[in-house]
Amino acid sequence: MPILRYLSVALASALVAAYAAIWLADPAPLERTTATIPPLRVVQGDNLIIWGGWRTVEGYDHGTTTGVEIICNRERQTCMEAYASLLHHDTGEDLSAQAFDYEVTTWDDQRVVAIDKDGMGECLDRILNVDLVGEGATLEWRPGEGECEGDTGKAVLVGDPL
């Protein structure tokens, strides 16, 4: 069984050499990279298509990086938002995704306004305002009708450069 002794000595030597090399090199700890959000884009055609990410400007900010794609259909008077968020915390990162269905209340040459009633929990409405001229968008959330209490806030659509 001398072959097993030679293999175990070789394996132990390789492990010691690897640990010694890592200790001597003293590598820097891994750094958290920042997530890239989609570039801000508003494309008008048969459907209105919007890309970007929400940045909270009023209300509670969860500290997440978000990416959104919104598709509005003029004929059906609806908008669909696909929303993904990346939450950074002490032990890592969590990715979550949601979808929101909006009913368009206003669509003219200047703007699109759509609402998702009770879209954020039990009674918070989500209101989407798209500026077609300035090619931007805002999002507001607030309690809906009835006896409802909840957080209010506002976010603007931003995007990373191409």
Side-chain angles (χ1 to χ4, degrees), residues 4-112:
L4 288 177
R5 248 185 298 176
Y6 290 127
L7 285 175
S8 44
V9 168
L11 179 62
S13 299
L15 284 173
V16 168
Y19 284 124
I22 291 172
W23 180 74
L24 288 173
D26 192 26
L30 295 176
E31 294 181 25
R32 178 181 298 165
T33 59
T34 57
T36 301
I37 60 174
L40 176 60
R41 305 276 301 181
V42 177
V43 179
Q44 297 182 53
D46 293 340
N47 292 319
L48 174 65
I49 302 173
I50 304 164
W51 292 287
W54 295 120
R55 187 183 74 215
T56 303
V57 293
E58 293 177 23
Y60 179 70
D61 184 2
H62 298 276
T64 60
T65 302
T66 64
V68 298
E69 179 181 41
I70 303 167
I71 300 175
C72 297
N73 185 293
R74 189 173 200 144
E75 183 179 318
R76 290 188 303 225
Q77 294 290 293
T78 60
C79 292
M80 169 67 82
E81 175 185 2
Y83 172 94
S85 64
L86 185 62
L87 174 63
H88 305 279
H89 50 82
D90 293 341
T91 58
E93 299 170 333
D94 292 325
L95 177 66
S96 68
Q98 294 175 289
F100 299 99
D101 289 313
Y102 296 89
E103 184 178 318
V104 173
T105 58
T106 304
W107 192 323
D108 56 34
D109 294 338
Q110 305 292 314
R111 65 189 177 126
V112 174

